[in-house]
Amino acid sequence: MGKLDHNSALYKAILLGVLCAVCGLLLSVANAITAPIIAENALATIKASLEEIYPGATFNDVTDKLIEKDETGLVDGIYEAEGKGYVFTLHGVGYNSNGFTFMVGFDNDGKISGYTALEQQETSGIGSRAFDDEYVSTITSLTSADPIPLLSGATLTSTAVQNGIDAAKAIFNDVQGISYDPNAQAEVPEQQPFGNEDYSKTDVTCTEVSNDGTTAVYHCTAKGFEGTNEADVEIDLSTGTIKSIKVTAFNDTPGVGDTATADAELARYAGKGLSDVVDSTTGASFTSLSLRAMAANALSAATGTELAGGSAPEAGSGSGLGSEDFTANEAGCIVYTNLDDTAVEYKCSAKGYQGINKAIVTVDTTKGTVTNIEITEFNDTPGVGDAATADTELERYKGASLESSVDATTSATFTSASIRAMIAAALNMAAGR
């Protein structure tokens, strides 16, 4: 066979083939050497995060092996903690369009072993709550067979979290052979009548602006998420129900909280009384709470019904008894008994929520402090206001002076105010004021 012409097409084709084969072999060898190093470096980058769920575990990156099982595109990585379980890294988009990343771990028996954000910029106090301790505790109390609950007030973010964890559950349960219902929904806690809710953090106030004997209108204010919202609440006095709510000032997040102020949402309050349930507007739970607070307190004032959940902020916080305004309680005391040169009993009375409450307040006149208080007559709502008259509650006033702050009893703010008013009146008498 003659020599090939180095300039011939055949020679060049053979030479090119040989070069390609050699390069392919070299690349294959290089890849075989570097691939484990690259994979190890990638695993090392996230290992610190993985160890938040499984401290000290040996991890294997099984993403390439299992990622084809993900039908959602939400799973970013899958890591096996040898002998312990699996950790999934995921992404989602909540209220912030930039999205967030997080991880969830499952023990081999299916228990959720950890859940935490890797990177998130969700709105503070709203979407960010999906990564706060309370919701984290909720998630880590579940298993891979349980549905993931949404978080009221952070619906968009928690829905994205739910979708991501559901994607991880589908892969994990398939690998572990765990059967579950992927369409199961978490139970939604039954919302209580809005007359029973706790509105103490809303600093709600209501002032009657008109009353023709049939209809009363109250101008109310209540804190929402970012600021104080205001509304006029119209009450049908004959039925003790709401006729209408008109929002007069909105100071919460535009585009979020204002969904609760839409005409269709406000119309849901019409015909409702304190024993009715009014659900929050999805995605606007804080503004909704401020509206329910104003509606409930307007109804409370119009019907003379004390709210079971309380409404006023905790009185006494940050100010002494001598600094509080008890004008509305019309408190008064008379000397009842001079026990000795240092102790005097005062017979006192003060308006509560429904009626006049009475008590005997014993004061150490040399120290200007309360040594005892005994309720002698209670005329507020049974089962509500009388919580403030329990022995353990009255015990808190012992040793109190006009400079002391004593918090109101939860759910019995009006009765608590009457008690503090009587104590303040007795202490003022003892001080010669």
Side-chain angles (χ1 to χ4, degrees):
M1 181 177 179
K3 292 183 178 181
L4 289 174
D5 183 352
H6 288 189
N7 293 319
S8 69
L10 178 60
Y11 178 84
K12 292 178 180 179
I14 293 173
L15 181 61
L16 179 62
V18 172
L19 289 173
C20 288
V22 171
C23 288
L25 178 61
L26 292 174
L27 286 172
S28 177
V29 171
N31 183 65
I33 295 173
T34 60
I37 297 174
I38 293 172
E40 184 177 343
N41 288 340
L43 183 59
T45 300
I46 195 172
K47 187 176 180 182
S49 297
L50 300 177
E51 287 191 332
E52 290 184 30
I53 295 180
Y54 292 115
T58 299
F59 293 97
N60 298 312
D61 186 344
V62 293
T63 305
D64 290 342
K65 178 182 176 182
L66 300 177
I67 195 67
E68 63 182 17
K69 295 178 180 290
D70 177 32
E71 299 179 354
T72 66
L74 298 175
V75 178
D76 298 320
I78 309 171
Y79 306 89
E80 180 184 13
E82 291 185 6
K84 297 179 181 293
Y86 288 79
V87 180
F88 293 76
T89 57
L90 306 125
H91 67 271
V93 178
Y95 181 69
N96 188 319
S97 60
N98 291 328
F100 55 88
T101 58
F102 67 103
M103 62 182 178
V104 64
F106 300 93
D107 286 342
N108 285 329
D109 62 2
K111 183 183 183 304
I112 294 181
S113 53
Y115 157 67
T116 186
L118 293 172
E119 184 175 314
Q120 65 92 11
Q121 297 177 324
E122 296 297 285
T123 306
S124 178
I126 303 180
S128 67
R129 293 172 52 238
F131 305 106
D132 287 348
D133 290 346
E134 184 177 355
Y135 192 59
V136 169
S137 296
T138 297
I139 297 299
T140 54
S141 69
L142 304 174
T143 73
S144 65
D146 296 321
I148 304 300
L150 296 181
L151 178 60
S152 177
T155 309
L156 290 175
T157 306
S158 59
T159 296
V161 168
Q162 180 190 68
N163 292 337
I165 295 179
D166 283 348
K169 284 165 50 180
I171 298 173
F172 174 80
N173 287 336
D174 181 63
V175 170
Q176 297 296 93
I178 297 175
S179 61
Y180 76 113
D181 179 3
N183 298 313
Q185 298 295 316
E187 290 186 9
V188 178
E190 183 178 350
Q191 189 167 337
Q192 58 186 326
F194 75 101
N196 292 347
E197 292 189 68
D198 181 3
Y199 300 116
S200 59
K201 293 183 179 179
T202 65
D203 291 350
V204 60
T205 67
C206 284
T207 303
E208 186 179 83
V209 294
S210 69
N211 189 331
D212 62 8
T214 302
T215 301
V217 177
Y218 293 84
H219 181 72
C220 303
T221 67
K223 284 183 179 178
F225 178 70
E226 289 187 331
T228 298
N229 301 314
E230 300 182 24
D232 289 334
V233 184
E234 187 179 18
I235 306 296
D236 184 329
L237 297 175
S238 63
T239 60
T241 59
I242 296 169
K243 293 184 70 174
S244 68
I245 295 182
K246 179 182 179 182
V247 175
T248 57
F250 171 76
N251 291 298
D252 278 342
T253 312
V256 181
D258 51 5
T259 58
T261 69
D263 291 343
E265 291 298 297
L266 296 178
R268 296 188 300 116
Y269 291 86
K272 295 294 195 297
L274 289 171
S275 61
D276 292 315
V277 172
V278 181
D279 294 328
S280 290
T281 302
T282 301
S285 57
F286 288 94
T287 302
S288 296
L289 181 65
S290 73
L291 290 171
R292 292 199 303 278
M294 292 187 280
N297 279 266
L299 281 168
S300 172
T303 62
T305 303
E306 185 168 359
L307 297 178
S311 58
E314 291 184 350
S317 298
S319 61
L321 291 168
S323 301
E324 289 193 64
D325 182 4
F326 296 117
T327 305
N329 299 102
E330 299 180 6
C333 296
I334 60 172
V335 174
Y336 181 57
T337 306
N338 278 300
L339 297 178
D340 52 39
D341 292 337
T342 63
V344 177
E345 289 183 333
Y346 296 89
K347 194 172 185 179
C348 304
S349 64
K351 281 186 178 180
Y353 185 76
Q354 289 187 321
I356 304 294
N357 298 316
K358 299 181 180 180
I360 294 176
V361 181
T362 306
V363 176
D364 182 330
T365 56
T366 61
K367 296 180 180 179
T369 58
V370 175
T371 59
N372 190 57
I373 178 168
E374 176 188 353
I375 303 299
T376 57
E377 193 171 322
F378 170 76
N379 290 298
D380 277 342
T381 312
V384 181
D386 50 5
T389 68
D391 290 343
T392 53
E393 291 298 297
L394 298 178
E395 191 73 21
R396 297 187 300 120
Y397 295 95
K398 290 184 179 180
S401 67
L402 288 170
E403 289 73 40
S404 301
S405 295
V406 183
D407 291 339
T409 301
T410 302
S411 302
T413 52
F414 292 94
T415 302
S416 294
S418 71
I419 293 173
R420 291 198 310 280
M422 289 187 281
I423 289 174
L427 287 170
N428 275 314
M429 280 194 72
R433 298 172 185 173

